[in-house]
Amino acid sequence: AIIAAAALFVVGVVLLARVNGRTGMFALGLTMLIILYDWTHKRIRTGPLLMAGCRFLLYLTAASAGLAGITPRALLFAAALGIYVAGLSYLARGESRPATISRHLWLLLFAPVVSALALNHSAAAALGCLPLILCISWAMIAGRERIGPAVGLLLAGIVLVDLIAISTTSLLMIAACLV
């Protein structure tokens, strides 16, 4: 499994580097962070920050490969996804043990909504945020008894963060993503 994973990492980085040098560098950084996370996340308190960094670099790798490159919007949503994943990962750490969960962790999950509404004050942006708001709210209710079901909902909510990042300007795009 290690040999296969290493081969896939190498192929992925090489293919992405062929797009452009910046994309290759982001892909290499992402690969290194994934490996670091896999080796250390159970033993260190900052494991959720490493996971957040992986998601952040994933967005930047994809954006750097696109025609527009890394735009301020891509950077903002990379950060918003990173914050969302950090909050989710810290909540997930409490899944196996009873612990009081800080409300501040739940607030981190709204970073993509805040980002979308800061960039675009339209009804379409608010409508695009609604599925994620509902998902987080449902998770907050589910998390009162046990955090496990809430974590599952929030993991599924990552695709809703992606929806917000790509579609807050078009109701048609929002509908297509939801379908």
Side-chain angles (χ1 to χ4, degrees), residues 2 8 14 19 21 32 38 44-45 58 60 68 75 100 103 110 118 129 139 144 149 154 161 164 170:
I2 290 173
L8 290 171
V14 168
V19 172
M32 291 168 44
D38 284 344
I44 60 173
R45 296 179 70 103
L58 180 63
L60 295 185
L75 195 58
T100 305
R103 287 178 229 202
F110 289 96
C129 292
R144 287 183 189 158
L154 295 171
V161 175
I164 291 171
S170 165

Side-chain angles (χ1 to χ4, degrees), residues 54-65:
C54 290
R55 292 294 181 152
F56 176 79
L57 284 178
L58 180 63
Y59 262 37
L60 295 185
T61 301
S64 70

Side-chain angles (χ1 to χ4, degrees), residues 113-172:
V113 173
V114 172
S115 298
L117 296 177
L119 286 175
N120 187 346
H121 306 296
S122 72
L127 186 59
C129 292
L130 188 58
L132 181 61
I133 293 169
L134 292 173
C135 179
I136 295 168
S137 300
W138 188 9
M140 290 173 82
I141 292 167
R144 287 183 189 158
E145 292 182 28
R146 291 181 315 131
I147 198 64
V151 169
L153 286 167
L154 295 171
L155 285 169
I158 291 173
V159 72
L160 300 175
V161 175
D162 296 340
L163 170 115
I164 291 171
I166 66 167
S167 68
T168 55
T169 58
S170 165
L171 290 176
L172 182 60

Side-chain angles (χ1 to χ4, degrees), residues 5-17 23-39 50 53-58 61:
L8 290 171
F9 276 140
V10 169
V11 169
V13 169
V14 168
L15 289 174
L16 286 166
T23 301
M25 292 305 293
F26 278 118
L28 182 60
L30 175 59
T31 300
M32 291 168 44
L33 197 54
I34 290 168
I35 293 167
L36 178 64
Y37 173 81
D38 284 344
W39 283 348
L50 293 175
C54 290
R55 292 294 181 152
F56 176 79
L57 284 178
L58 180 63
T61 301

